[in-house]
């Protein structure tokens, strides 16, 4: 039925054209923006997810900048630590040269002083944007990641860089809570040059032979005509071994020979035996202990930043203040440097580790005066620098040159440890930086997969819609002309 009031064909053509125009508009928007989901009305859930991910990408870009800054700061610190290590190696060469007596030690000392000054200059200048990782003890945190949990909460992760103090600062002794016994045990309250001894008891028999073994050297003595002659022969034979610091004397008591050792840092092992007749031979100890007294630090005790340790000799104090992350080995070696730096020619030190794994500071006194020895400790101090003691290197004397060799070796180890720590941190940051870059690319790609338009598909669709639009316009035009045919019925 034809009607002049209702043109159904035109209405259908019009709706079809509107749909085509709507699709064409959307396709043109996709082509102009490059996005299939450009706003929340296009797809609210996908748009919301993409915006959260875009915010994360922006955060990771900022993290990448933070890592780059941290990497640059570490590069400066690492270069400084390696340069300091090279300079300390040069100092060691000078110290070794000073061990000879027929060299000009004053000139060598001048060279060492110049190198020490250069070390200080490197440490002071090793800053990037005002941050120096080779001075002080406070750690530095570098923003490294943005962690989003399944519940939507976000937390920042950081890489902690342990600052490596390569300054020569003495530190300051704490005034806080006392550390129980200084976390150590002192073998004696005094240190003296008195030799330690062992007594050999000989049961004389004219038909006997007597063997004494000292360390890895042995001597056998045939019995003399009387006990006194035998005692003297045994003492003379032990002395004839030519062991430095070890001597033997006849005590005056028949059948007894006393062995004495003045070795500062070495125990002397002894064994004896007798054969033939009814002879006997014994010794009251198989070990003559070293002359040095020992401070044994308690194994497994935690050392805190600012823990202050003090060794006192006759009222004079020698301090070491621990830094963050240090151990009892560091404390023992630090106190050794503190004592050696004082340049007391009758006092020498050595750091060892006993069979139980405990670190020990051995202190010897070769002088005539007896030294009172004590160990105390308190917390709350300011840590000594990693190159503490470098300023006191003095090779102008035999004693100073010998002490300097041990000190510079410890300082080299400290700088090597610092350089290794920085190198490890650099590797970690480089790995994290690479991961963040790859992660950012992956997130960006994922966002694109959700919201980006398929341009090949959009191009083909645009052409099809343009044809449909033309046909729709033509169809609407034909539908609008249909009522005109009704007039022919009334002609």
């Amino acid at each position: 039925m034809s009607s002049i009031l209702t043109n159904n064909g035109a209405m259908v053509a019009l709706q079809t054209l509107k749909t085509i125009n709507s699709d064409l508009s959307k396709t043109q928007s996709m082509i102009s923006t490059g996005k299939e989901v450009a706003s929340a009305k296009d797809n609210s859930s996908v748009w919301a997810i993409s915006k959260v991910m875009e915010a994360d990408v922006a955060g990771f870009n900022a993290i990448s900048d933070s890592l780059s800054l941290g990497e640059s700061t570490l590069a400066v610190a690492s270069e400084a630590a390696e340069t300091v290590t090279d300079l300390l190696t040069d100092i060691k060469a000078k110290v070794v040269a000073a061990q000879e007596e027929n060299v000009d030690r004053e000139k060598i000392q001048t060279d060492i002083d110049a190198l020490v000054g250069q070390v200080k200059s490197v440490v002071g200048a090793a800053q990037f944007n005002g941050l120096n990782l080779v001075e002080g003890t406070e750690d530095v945190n570098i923003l490294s990641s943005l962690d989003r949990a399944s519940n939507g909460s976000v937390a920042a992760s950081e890489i902690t860089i342990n600052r490596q103090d390569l300054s020569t600062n003495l530190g300051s002794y704490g005034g806080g809570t006392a550390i129980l016994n200084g976390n150590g045990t002192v073998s004696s309250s005094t240190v003296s040059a008195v030799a330690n001894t062992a007594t050999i008891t000989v049961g004389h028999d004219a038909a006997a032979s007597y063997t004494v073994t000292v360390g890895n050297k042995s001597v056998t003595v045939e019995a003399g005509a009387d006990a006194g002659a035998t005692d003297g022969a045994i003492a003379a034979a032990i002395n004839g071994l030519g062991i430095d610091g070890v001597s033997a004397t006849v005590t005056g008591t028949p059948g007894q020979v006393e062995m004495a050792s003045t070795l500062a840092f070495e125990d002397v092992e002894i064994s004896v035996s007798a054969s033939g007749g009814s002879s006997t031979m014994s010794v009251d100890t198989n070990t003559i202990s070293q002359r040095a007294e020992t401070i044994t630090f308690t194994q497994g005790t935690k050392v805190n930043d600012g823990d202050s340790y003090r060794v006192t000799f006759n009222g004079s104090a020698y301090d070491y203040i621990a830094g963050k992350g240090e151990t009892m080995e560091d404390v023992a070696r630090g106190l050794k440097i503190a004592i050696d730096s004082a340049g007391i020619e009758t006092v020498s030190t050595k750091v060892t580790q006993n069979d139980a794994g405990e670190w020990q500071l051995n202190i010897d006194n070769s002088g005539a005066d007896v030294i009172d020895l004590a160990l105390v400790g308190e917390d709350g101090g300011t840590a000594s620098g990693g190159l503490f003691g470098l300023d006191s290197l003095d090779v102008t004397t035999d004693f100073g040159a010998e002490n300097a060799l041990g000190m510079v070796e410890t300082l080299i180890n400290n700088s090597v440890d610092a350089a290794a720590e920085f190198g490890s941190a650099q590797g970690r940051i480089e790995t994290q930086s690479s991961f963040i870059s790859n992660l950012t690319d992956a997130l960006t790609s994922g966002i694109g997969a959700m919201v980006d338009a398929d341009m090949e598909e959009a191009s083909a669709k645009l052409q099809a819609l343009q044809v449909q639009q033309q046909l729709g316009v033509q169809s609407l035009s034909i539908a609008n002309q249909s009522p005109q045919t009704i007039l022919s019925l009334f002609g």
Side-chain angles (χ1 to χ4, degrees):
M1 179 185 73
S2 296
S3 171
I4 61 172
L5 298 177
T6 303
N7 190 339
N8 289 317
M11 287 190 293
V12 171
L14 181 60
Q15 291 300 323
T16 300
L17 185 58
K18 285 183 177 179
T19 301
I20 292 170
N21 287 337
S22 176
D23 290 344
L24 184 60
S25 176
K26 182 176 180 181
T27 303
Q28 288 175 329
S29 175
M30 289 168 56
I31 292 172
S32 62
T33 63
K35 291 185 177 182
E36 183 177 0
V37 181
S39 62
K41 70 181 180 63
D42 296 329
N43 188 322
S44 60
S45 61
V46 170
W47 181 84
I49 294 171
S50 69
K51 286 303 176 183
V52 171
M53 294 179 66
E54 286 175 2
D56 285 349
V57 168
F60 282 122
N61 286 332
I63 288 170
S64 181
D65 293 339
S66 172
L67 288 170
S68 296
L69 181 61
E71 194 171 351
S72 299
T73 305
L74 266 174
V76 171
S78 180
E79 180 63 29
E82 292 176 12
T83 301
V84 167
T85 300
D86 292 340
L87 290 170
L88 289 174
T89 301
D90 293 341
I91 291 175
K92 180 180 178 180
K94 302 291 183 183
V95 171
V96 170
Q99 304 302 307
E100 293 289 339
E101 295 183 0
N102 61 340
V103 294
D104 190 339
R105 286 178 170 165
E106 294 292 341
K107 287 186 172 60
I108 292 176
Q109 183 64 46
T110 299
D111 290 342
I112 290 175
D113 291 341
L115 289 169
V116 170
Q118 186 60 43
V119 168
K120 291 181 177 181
S121 176
V122 169
V123 171
Q127 58 83 28
F128 185 87
N129 195 31
L131 179 59
N132 193 326
L133 293 178
V134 292
E135 280 189 321
T137 59
E138 293 183 6
D139 295 338
V140 177
N141 295 319
I142 296 176
L143 184 64
S144 63
S145 183
L146 190 66
D147 303 330
R148 183 178 294 279
S150 58
N151 63 3
S153 62
V154 178
S157 296
E158 297 176 330
I159 293 177
T160 299
I161 307 301
N162 296 321
R163 197 188 297 254
Q164 305 295 313
D165 190 355
L166 293 181
S167 69
T168 60
N169 296 331
L170 300 179
S172 58
Y173 190 82
T177 304
I179 297 173
L180 182 62
N181 298 324
N183 285 334
T185 303
V186 182
S187 62
S188 174
S189 60
T190 59
V191 187
S192 69
V194 176
N196 291 326
T197 63
T199 301
I200 298 174
T201 302
V202 182
H204 181 260
D205 188 310
S209 61
Y210 303 95
T211 300
V212 178
T213 301
V214 183
N216 59 358
K217 294 184 177 182
S218 296
V219 64
T220 299
V221 176
E222 301 298 330
D226 58 59
T230 300
D231 295 344
I234 292 172
I238 294 172
N239 291 331
L241 293 174
I243 302 173
D244 289 339
V246 176
S247 62
T249 57
V250 177
T251 65
T253 301
Q256 284 192 345
V257 175
E258 184 178 81
M259 284 186 60
S261 171
T262 57
L263 295 177
F265 305 115
E266 185 180 346
D267 294 341
V268 178
E269 302 297 327
I270 306 167
S271 63
V272 298
S273 63
S275 61
S278 59
S279 62
T280 59
M281 194 177 200
S282 63
V283 63
D284 62 352
T285 179
N286 293 114
T287 302
I288 302 179
S289 299
Q290 65 180 28
R291 183 176 66 185
E293 299 298 339
T294 300
I295 298 176
T296 303
F297 295 95
T298 308
Q299 186 180 18
T301 300
K302 179 178 175 56
V303 179
N304 301 303
D305 185 15
D307 280 356
S308 306
Y309 294 85
R310 172 172 289 173
V311 172
T312 59
F313 294 161
N314 293 339
S316 297
Y318 306 93
D319 300 337
Y320 180 73
I321 298 87
K324 186 178 295 183
E326 293 194 343
T327 65
M328 281 302 179
E329 178 184 4
D330 298 309
V331 171
R333 296 192 183 281
L335 285 172
K336 169 181 168 56
I337 289 176
I339 295 169
D340 291 348
S341 298
I344 308 172
E345 295 199 3
T346 58
V347 175
S348 54
T349 61
K350 184 177 182 180
V351 173
T352 58
Q353 192 174 22
N354 62 19
D355 293 338
E358 296 172 312
W359 287 97
Q360 297 177 313
L361 175 61
N362 303 279
I363 303 171
D364 183 62
N365 172 24
S366 61
D369 296 332
V370 176
I371 294 175
D372 294 328
L373 175 64
L375 171 70
V376 294
E378 295 180 15
D379 63 13
T382 301
S384 303
L387 300 186
F388 157 62
L390 183 63
D391 290 332
S392 64
L393 290 179
D394 182 1
V395 299
T396 56
T397 65
D398 289 344
F399 178 81
E402 183 178 349
N403 267 0
L405 189 59
M407 289 172 62
V408 75
E409 193 68 34
T410 298
L411 300 180
I412 288 175
N413 288 336
N414 289 345
S415 66
V416 167
D417 289 345
E421 182 73 23
F422 288 139
S424 176
Q426 278 183 295
R428 184 179 176 188
I429 288 181
E430 287 177 4
T431 300
Q432 184 69 10
S433 182
S434 176
F435 168 72
I436 291 298
S437 177
N438 293 336
L439 178 60
T440 302
D441 290 345
L443 287 173
T444 302
S445 178
I447 295 170
M450 290 191 296
V451 303
D452 289 355
D454 185 335
M455 299 306 290
E456 293 86 351
E457 180 184 352
S459 176
K461 191 173 182 180
L462 176 65
Q463 293 182 21
L465 287 169
Q466 285 173 337
V467 172
Q468 291 178 38
Q469 184 187 46
Q470 293 172 9
L471 292 173
V473 169
Q474 187 173 0
S475 176
L476 180 60
S477 176
I478 293 171
N480 284 334
Q481 292 175 1
S482 294
Q484 297 295 325
T485 60
I486 297 176
L487 292 176
S488 65
L489 297 176
F490 299 96

